[in-house]
Amino acid sequence: MEIPSISAAARAVTVVLCAALLLAEMPVNYIEIAGDGVRLASPVPHGAPFTTAYVHSVEKTPVIELYRIADGKIWVWEEMVRSHNAGLPFDAPEHGSFIMEGSGWMIVRGGRRAMESIAYRVGNADIGQNRWHLPPYFVKAYEKYPSRRVFIESGVRKFRDAPLIGWPEEGTLRP
């Protein structure tokens, strides 16, 4: 008795269905910004950058903080400042470095600091001028969410439970 062979098309359909089922169950890093009427969320690849930029309320100098999202945590990757008074970094953290750049930036890099949540206060056009960048999205937070308190959180979710919520269209709201 001869066993009928499965056609190439049937095999391809089976592979696509199995891949779709596997993708839906795959764990992904997820970032969410929520609180006081704000809700932005997105699945992100392992090691994805997330940047906050603002003008320090006391020093009136720019501050840029680069984070990486990995293993469901927000890792402090690099902080760039032009002043080190009023609560701004002035020294290298343990396992990190402090770099004085010729352009006037002081860079604090590394330190193995990770967290699942950051409490974050958005300023306004006068104080803060906060901006967020989660490539490819740019948000002028100080215009869209002035004077609001939000929590930036990260975790791991199944891809099917990690919707893209509230981010502007790519290329809009550039700083």
Side-chain angles (χ1 to χ4, degrees):
M1 181 171 183
E2 190 175 310
I3 299 174
S5 64
I6 299 175
S7 72
R11 275 184 267 174
V13 168
T14 302
V15 167
V16 168
L17 286 173
C18 289
L21 290 172
L22 180 63
L23 178 64
E25 296 298 313
M26 185 175 72
V28 294
N29 287 291
Y30 194 68
I31 186 171
E32 183 172 14
I33 303 174
D36 198 17
V38 178
R39 179 104 195 270
L40 303 172
S42 179
V44 293
H46 188 75
F50 176 73
T51 305
T52 64
Y54 57 93
V55 176
H56 192 272
S57 62
V58 174
E59 291 295 307
K60 306 293 187 217
T61 57
V63 177
I64 300 171
E65 298 170 329
L66 175 63
Y67 302 95
R68 296 279 179 168
I69 311 301
D71 299 325
K73 294 193 181 345
I74 303 167
W75 291 82
V76 180
W77 207 255
E78 185 172 275
E79 293 175 85
M80 297 174 63
V81 298
R82 293 207 183 254
S83 169
H84 55 80
N85 296 315
L88 292 169
F90 62 89
D91 195 10
E94 185 177 357
H95 307 293
S97 58
F98 188 90
I99 302 162
M100 296 291 293
E101 219 174 64
S103 63
W105 286 103
M106 293 173 268
I107 302 169
V108 177
R109 188 172 290 149
R112 300 182 192 163
R113 298 171 289 160
M115 59 211 89
E116 292 176 357
S117 179
I118 299 171
Y120 189 90
R121 172 65 71 181
V122 178
N124 53 41
D126 296 322
I127 298 172
Q129 299 177 11
N130 308 71
R131 293 173 171 84
W132 300 328
H133 182 205
L134 176 65
Y137 308 109
F138 292 87
V139 176
K140 289 184 180 177
Y142 71 97
E143 288 180 352
K144 195 163 171 114
Y145 312 109
S147 303
R148 297 198 182 153
R149 182 175 184 222
V150 298
F151 293 91
I152 303 170
E153 299 177 334
S154 183
V156 175
R157 294 185 177 191
K158 291 181 180 180
F159 185 69
R160 66 179 160 88
D161 297 329
L164 179 66
I165 300 170
W167 291 95
E169 292 181 28
E170 180 179 349
T172 62
L173 297 174
R174 291 195 179 267

